[in-house]
Amino acid sequence: MNTILSNLKIQVNEKIYVKDPETSALGKKIIEQSILLIDEIGFDNFTFKKLGEKIGSNESSIYRYFENKHKLLVYLSSWYWSWMEYKLVFATTNITDPKEKLRNAITIVTEKVIDDSSTEHINEAILNKIIIAEFTKTLHTKEVDQENKEGFFLIYKRVINRIVNIVTEVNPSYLYAKSLVSTIVEGSLHQHFLTEHFTNITDCNTSKSTTQFYLHLIENVLH
Amino acid sequence: MNTILSNLKIQVNEKIYVKDPETSALGKKIIEQSILLIDEIGFDNFTFKKLGEKIGSNESSIYRYFENKHKLLVYLSSWYWSWMEYKLVFATTNITDPKEKLRNAITIVTEKVIDDSSTEHINEAILNKIIIAEFTKTLHTKEVDQENKEGFFLIYKRVINRIVNIVTEVNPSYLYAKSLVSTIVEGSLHQHFLTEHFTNITDCNTSKSTTQFYLHLIENVLH
DNA sequence: TCATAATCGATAGTATTACTATTATATTTG
DNA sequence: CAAATATAATAGTAATACTATCGATTATGA
């Protein structure tokens, strides 16, 4: 997996950035260090000025790559879901049994990311932590409809609909395939969050357990 | 229900506010109009200055009630979940059949709020819209553990655990009662959000349908 | 009823944020 | 080597998120 992914460039909608960060050393540094800084101080406290200080560069230089910090978070999220899509495709191709395919898909998407060295400048485990903590903020804005129209969330929606197709294979008569999958994808992030901060309202205490919960759930819902 | 609720004061943790907004006309105006303004322009664009202008009062006066806009949102959320708890208790007391009790509980908590005139200065339908759009922001901060310790989210957790108890009544051997309920409560807000902005990844198109999805889900998960 | 406490509105001020614009320098590329 | 491009540094603006002070009004209770 690693070797294959290292040859693949994760595709992100061009409208999200001003200049593609993958095309320069500074751009990659922005991505690499923004992930670390957002994890460290949280997205709300994160500013381009602080990031500039961290990477020994200037605030204004970062603005040449991203309009604002919201767009940077959208970029990181897109990258994450694009990466997730690759993992999903790998885990499900050439598997004939729909049930096994679905189990693999659910596992990929609900598991906590431990580590992955597929990309030089991106720490996927920490990016996963950011997605757990901050992803909803990319959606919950007043501009969501406009940004959705511009395709900012295309990959996220594609990931969900890929799994929806597998659900439909397993049980074509099930009426709520989309809601089920969107609930699982979003819900598993939430369960990871609860495991970290609200242990009193979750049964999941390791990453495996979140996956087990959803595997058990989907098994029962689809018979 | 209305008549009974109008005599009950919704209890909110004292640490959330500087001065209890229920104790003065200005305080109630702050609550009433902040709900309308947050719905109108979104929480991110909401400021105390704008609220002051809207209610013909001064920024500094609002700071005498709430330390900052985050605390105000936590207050509105607490109020919402407290109100939800009352509705929950009403819908489940004196019902002997655990399954029926559970169906009622799930319905209460997943239904879109149409309208409720139980409180003079709070429009519950609009507050429900705010919860759908902004509630996750109260949790996803760097201060969440501290605020959780101080009891800011107690009512929310209590609502979930009330439903957990009913789930356990229905099926004592089910291993993931807490995760199931927290997934449903959080997930139904998310489904309402998707219904509004991402119709492509949800099957729910009316409030009733979100409830039906979860009623169907819980039926199957618990046998 | 008078004193005093609490409340509120108005004003001013500070630090930070979220940018934009300009320019000089360094680097790349053709 | 020239031209284009990228970057760093600096300056500046408007808005945000507050804090502090002060006088005017209103409420309370002795």
Side-chain angles (χ1 to χ4, degrees):
Chain A
M1 160 93 90
N2 288 349
T3 46
I4 294 163
L5 270 177
S6 63
N7 295 328
L8 280 170
K9 204 194 149 202
I10 299 280
Q11 274 299 354
V12 168
N13 188 323
E14 287 181 8
K15 286 179 188 159
I16 294 171
Y17 48 73
V18 181
K19 181 185 168 176
D20 187 349
E22 290 291 329
T23 60
S24 77
L26 180 64
K28 284 175 191 165
K29 218 169 167 186
I30 287 171
I31 300 306
E32 177 185 29
Q33 297 295 317
S34 67
I35 292 172
L36 303 181
L37 188 55
I38 291 171
D39 177 53
E40 198 182 310
I41 64 176
F43 183 67
D44 296 346
N45 302 314
F46 172 87
T47 67
F48 280 180
K49 195 175 183 184
K50 288 176 187 169
L51 179 60
E53 276 159 26
K54 192 181 176 84
I55 66 180
S57 177
N58 198 275
E59 200 188 352
S60 59
S61 302
I62 301 165
Y63 276 105
R64 274 193 214 93
Y65 287 86
F66 294 100
E67 251 180 75
N68 50 49
K69 70 173 185 171
H70 167 73
K71 290 271 177 77
L72 172 56
L73 186 61
V74 172
Y75 178 91
L76 295 178
S77 302
S78 278
W79 196 98
Y80 177 84
W81 292 114
S82 187
W83 175 69
M84 195 52 72
E85 189 180 28
Y86 277 115
K87 300 215 304 175
L88 194 62
V89 170
F90 264 83
T92 54
T93 36
N94 298 326
I95 292 175
T96 42
D97 179 26
K99 281 191 177 184
E100 191 187 345
K101 216 194 287 188
L102 182 58
R103 276 196 303 273
N104 288 3
I106 297 296
T107 301
I108 287 291
V109 94
T110 62
E111 254 181 352
K112 186 159 178 134
V113 176
I114 303 299
D115 206 10
D116 191 307
S117 50
S118 61
T119 333
E120 273 293 312
H121 59 294
I122 295 185
N123 185 323
E124 286 86 1
I126 298 181
L127 181 55
N128 176 242
K129 281 178 69 187
I130 291 179
I131 297 298
I132 290 168
E134 320 284 5
F135 175 62
T136 60
K137 292 175 190 171
T138 65
L139 305 178
H140 289 99
T141 69
K142 270 284 160 180
E143 298 79 31
V144 62
D145 294 332
Q146 180 56 35
E147 294 188 349
N148 190 21
K149 236 180 241 166
E150 290 182 46
F152 286 19
F153 312 111
L154 228 110
I155 306 170
Y156 175 62
K157 294 190 285 185
R158 209 165 57 204
V159 165
I160 287 174
N161 279 319
R162 274 182 190 278
I163 307 175
V164 168
N165 289 337
I166 308 174
V167 167
T168 307
E169 265 187 82
V170 171
N171 184 347
S173 66
Y174 182 64
L175 288 169
Y176 306 101
K178 288 177 178 217
S179 288
L180 180 65
V181 176
S182 59
T183 271
I184 290 174
V185 170
E186 151 71 15
S188 72
L189 296 178
H190 188 57
Q191 290 299 315
H192 287 302
F193 177 81
L194 297 182
T195 300
E196 202 71 36
H197 303 287
F198 290 85
T199 49
N200 194 35
I201 50 172
T202 180
D203 303 287
C204 307
N205 30 48
T206 77
S207 59
K208 218 182 162 225
S209 190
T210 295
T211 298
Q212 282 172 339
F213 162 56
Y214 284 110
L215 285 175
H216 181 268
L217 182 121
I218 206 152
E219 179 81 26
N220 283 280
V221 171
L222 303 180
H223 305 331
Chain B
M1 161 93 91
N2 287 350
T3 46
I4 292 163
L5 270 176
S6 64
N7 294 328
L8 280 169
K9 203 195 150 201
I10 298 280
Q11 273 299 354
V12 167
N13 188 320
E14 286 181 9
K15 287 177 187 161
I16 295 171
Y17 48 74
V18 181
K19 182 187 168 175
D20 187 350
E22 290 291 330
T23 62
S24 76
L26 180 63
K28 284 175 192 164
K29 217 168 166 187
I30 288 170
I31 300 306
E32 177 184 28
Q33 297 295 317
S34 67
I35 292 172
L36 302 181
L37 188 55
I38 291 171
D39 177 53
E40 196 182 314
I41 64 177
F43 184 67
D44 296 347
N45 302 316
F46 172 86
T47 68
F48 280 0
K49 195 174 182 188
K50 288 175 188 169
L51 179 60
E53 277 159 25
K54 194 181 175 83
I55 65 180
S57 178
N58 199 273
E59 201 187 350
S60 60
S61 301
I62 301 166
Y63 276 104
R64 280 194 205 95
Y65 286 86
F66 295 99
E67 253 180 73
N68 51 49
K69 71 174 185 171
H70 167 73
K71 291 272 178 75
L72 172 56
L73 186 60
V74 172
Y75 179 91
L76 295 178
S77 302
S78 278
W79 196 98
Y80 178 82
W81 292 114
S82 187
W83 174 70
M84 196 51 74
E85 190 180 26
Y86 277 115
K87 299 216 304 176
L88 195 61
V89 170
F90 263 83
T92 54
T93 37
N94 299 325
I95 291 173
T96 44
D97 178 27
K99 283 191 177 183
E100 190 188 345
K101 217 196 284 189
L102 183 58
R103 276 197 303 272
N104 288 2
I106 297 296
T107 301
I108 287 289
V109 95
T110 61
E111 254 179 353
K112 185 156 180 138
V113 176
I114 303 299
D115 207 10
D116 191 308
S117 50
S118 61
T119 334
E120 271 294 312
H121 58 295
I122 295 183
N123 184 324
E124 286 86 2
I126 299 181
L127 181 55
N128 176 243
K129 281 178 68 185
I130 291 179
I131 296 299
I132 290 168
E134 320 283 5
F135 175 61
T136 61
K137 293 175 190 170
T138 64
L139 305 177
H140 290 100
T141 69
K142 271 284 161 182
E143 299 78 31
V144 61
D145 293 333
Q146 180 56 35
E147 294 187 350
N148 190 19
K149 236 180 239 164
E150 289 181 49
F152 285 20
F153 311 113
L154 229 109
I155 305 171
Y156 175 63
K157 294 190 285 186
R158 210 164 59 204
V159 165
I160 288 174
N161 279 317
R162 275 183 189 276
I163 306 175
V164 168
N165 289 337
I166 307 174
V167 167
T168 308
E169 265 188 83
V170 171
N171 183 349
S173 66
Y174 181 64
L175 288 170
Y176 306 102
K178 287 176 179 218
S179 288
L180 180 65
V181 176
S182 59
T183 272
I184 290 174
V185 170
E186 152 70 16
S188 71
L189 295 179
H190 188 57
Q191 290 298 316
H192 287 302
F193 177 80
L194 297 182
T195 301
E196 201 71 35
H197 302 287
F198 290 85
T199 48
N200 195 34
I201 51 174
T202 181
D203 303 288
C204 307
N205 30 47
T206 77
S207 59
K208 216 183 166 222
S209 191
T210 295
T211 298
Q212 281 171 338
F213 162 56
Y214 284 111
L215 285 176
H216 181 268
L217 182 121
I218 207 150
E219 179 81 26
N220 283 280
V221 171
L222 303 179
H223 305 330

